[in-house]
Structures are given as structure tokens and as C-alpha cells.
Amino acid sequence: MSKIIESIDYFPAGYCTSYTGLLFKGVKNKKMTFPAGVFLIKHRDKGYLLYDTGYHYDIKTKLRYGFYRLGTPVQMTEKDQISYLLEAKGIKPEEINYVLLSHLHPDHLGGASFFPHATFILTKEVYEVYQKPKLKDLIFKEFLPTSFEKNLTIIRADQQDSTFPYRPICDLFGDGSILVASVDGHARGQACLYLPDFNLLIAADLCWGIDLLPYTKQMHLIPSLVQDNKVDYIKGTEFLEEVLKDSIEVLVSHDPVERIESILYEKNNLS
Ligand SMILES: [Zn+2]
């Protein structure tokens, strides 16, 4: 049987840096570079869906984002923006029919304005944060296209589905190809995608990286304060552990490029 999801591509659209010793207790201190991952999903009938949009170059260059860069140093050039990365693959922004933003932090919504024609998709909880953001939510609405609210679809992850029994989901296109769960913790209602064709969960910022998952419970106070809700954040990592135990592959937004590329290579070509 042919797959509904034809392919999943990946683009690192900018990077931020931190130190393991700043994030976690009891680990060797080393500088880490975290890519802002963007996933391009090709659906047989619906065309291209983009999961997150990476950073906008303005975050690196404009004075007004200085306070953000203080906590989260950004490394990128103009050509690391998702619009350039897609063009290099021969894909025009107009070809992207859907943009699903997992949550609205600057490394996820930064490139949104490149897609004024797309239908944007948010979970109900992310939309509620959008309507009444706190300073800590770090929502820079200037990175959204002016057509954003007009082109917006809000989804509710409230269906039980035996394909993914861990959480209530929203069957995005009603064909079982993309199941969206809404997970609190790092940010409220982050959209995580389960793709049954690939036996793969793409899990936003549920942790810093799958290889760092074992250290999550040793997180230092400052990075833990950045989380929207620390108790829910830990629950989210337990959810990931449960899914991994059942041999579902998991990718998170800030996983290393090599890890994501090798898993997707295998999923795209061998499964
Ligand atoms: Zn985030």
C-alpha cells in the first residue's frame, strides 16, 4: 500500500548555543549548538505542510532582540532562513499549503511571514497563549504574516485513537496520516506530530534533545524557570520515554542535525 505521507525533509533554520553545565547538574560542561529544526512533510493529496519555521535573521541583527540574544545567543546568516533553504531545494514559499507552528517561540515562528498564502494551524492552547501572551511567552507577532489570523485554523486534540493511545489527538486531515497531540510544559499546548506511515513522533521542545533526555530531571533552576510549567515539562519527558520504549522513533526540534538526518534518511528510504 502506498503511503499518504510521501516524504519528510528537514532544515536547520538558524542555531542557538548554550552550555551543558548551565542546563544540567552533574554533566561535563561543553558548548552545545542547538539547531532550530523545521520539518517539511509532503502529503499525497494536501501537498506540503511545514512544521515550524525556524529563526528570522532579524533576531540576530536587530537591537530590540538584544535581551533575547542575551539568554539565547543566536548563530545564523541570512541564508539560514527557511525561505532560502526551501529555494535551494527548488521549493517556492507559495508551494507550502500549510504551516503548523508547534508553539510560538522565536525559533519556531521566526520564518512564518515568508508564507502569507499558507493556512496556519495552531492547537487551541497555543492560540489561547497567542491571544493573551505573557512577557515570558516571548511571542514576537511581527514575525507572523499580516494574513495570519485570516488564514488560521485552530485544532483540538481531544480524540482517542488506538493508533496512538498515549494521548488524545487531532487527526489533522481526517485520513489518519498526521495525528497531532497537544503537550504542556515547555510551552502550553505544543503540537507534536505522530506519523503512522513512518512510526515517527516529532515532538517540538519536549526536551532539548533525545540524547539529553536522561538529564532532564537534573535541570538547573534557571533553565527550568524558562519552562512554562516545570511539572508538566517532566511529565512530557516521561511521555517521550514511554513512546520510545514502544519503539516509536522520536525527533525533537533541537536534536543535532546528524541525528535527524540519519533517522529521516532511514525512514524515507527504507521503511
Ligand atoms: Zn520553545
Side-chain angles (χ1 to χ4, degrees):
M1 201 183 77
S2 70
K3 289 176 177 167
I4 304 177
I5 301 301
E6 293 183 347
S7 63
I8 307 173
D9 273 302
Y10 163 77
F11 305 89
Y15 304 81
C16 73
T17 57
S18 190
Y19 289 86
T20 46
L22 277 179
L23 296 174
F24 309 110
K25 295 172 201 160
V27 296
K28 203 162 162 259
N29 195 27
K30 66 171 187 184
K31 189 173 178 180
M32 299 276 298
T33 300
F34 296 101
V38 177
F39 294 86
L40 178 68
I41 296 167
K42 192 174 183 195
H43 185 287
R44 193 177 57 196
D45 310 316
K46 304 282 182 182
Y48 284 123
L49 175 144
L50 206 60
Y51 177 77
D52 287 334
T53 61
Y55 276 121
H56 194 285
Y57 188 52
D58 279 358
I59 201 98
K60 167 100 185 137
T61 55
K62 294 242 163 107
L63 197 62
R64 65 169 171 274
Y65 304 114
F67 77 95
Y68 175 80
R69 293 193 298 268
L70 215 56
T72 314
V74 177
Q75 278 181 7
M76 69 185 299
T77 67
E78 196 173 2
K79 298 210 161 146
D80 286 321
Q81 295 179 107
I82 187 62
S83 52
Y84 286 85
L85 300 174
L86 287 173
E87 295 269 26
K89 274 238 170 189
I91 299 166
K92 294 189 177 64
E94 308 85 79
E95 292 178 63
I96 306 299
N97 295 331
Y98 302 91
V99 176
L100 195 159
L101 298 173
S102 65
H103 62 300
L104 302 175
H105 286 163
D107 47 339
H108 297 259
L109 102 164
S113 66
F114 299 126
F115 308 99
H117 307 291
T119 296
F120 278 81
I121 302 164
L122 300 181
T123 66
K124 175 180 146 295
E125 296 78 14
V126 170
Y127 181 60
E128 284 166 4
V129 177
Y130 168 81
Q131 285 179 306
K132 283 189 182 164
K134 296 178 291 224
L135 189 61
K136 188 177 158 179
D137 296 322
L138 288 172
I139 302 180
F140 301 131
K141 292 189 180 175
E142 60 273 29
F143 292 134
L144 295 167
T146 46
S147 54
F148 177 71
E149 293 196 14
K150 187 166 64 83
N151 294 349
L152 187 58
T153 296
I154 315 287
I155 56 170
R156 285 165 192 269
D158 58 4
Q159 306 157 27
Q160 298 299 327
D161 192 313
S162 57
T163 316
F164 194 74
Y166 312 91
R167 291 257 170 178
I169 54 91
C170 168
D171 180 353
L172 187 60
F173 293 130
D175 58 10
S177 66
I178 302 178
L179 309 182
V180 186
S182 163
V183 185
D184 293 341
H186 169 75
R188 260 194 84 208
Q190 288 172 101
C192 300
L193 309 187
Y194 178 63
L195 304 144
D197 277 345
F198 288 72
N199 194 32
L200 176 72
L201 178 72
I202 308 180
D205 286 0
L206 261 59
C207 68
W208 277 95
I210 292 301
D211 297 341
L212 298 169
L213 193 53
Y215 305 113
T216 305
K217 285 175 187 161
Q218 302 154 223
M219 196 185 282
H220 275 305
L221 181 66
I222 298 289
S224 78
L225 288 176
V226 174
Q227 311 306 331
D228 177 63
N229 181 317
K230 200 187 166 194
V231 173
D232 288 338
Y233 185 79
I234 296 295
K235 278 191 205 152
T237 60
E238 287 165 356
F239 157 59
L240 289 187
E241 281 163 357
E242 195 185 349
V243 167
L244 285 161
K245 209 165 65 210
D246 290 347
S247 302
I248 292 173
E249 198 68 77
V250 182
L251 300 174
V252 291
S253 298
H254 304 307
D255 259 334
V257 172
E258 310 74 49
R259 179 177 192 273
I260 295 180
E261 286 183 341
S262 79
I263 288 170
L264 287 183
Y265 178 81
E266 196 176 305
K267 295 281 179 192
N268 281 316
N269 296 294
L270 308 173
S271 63

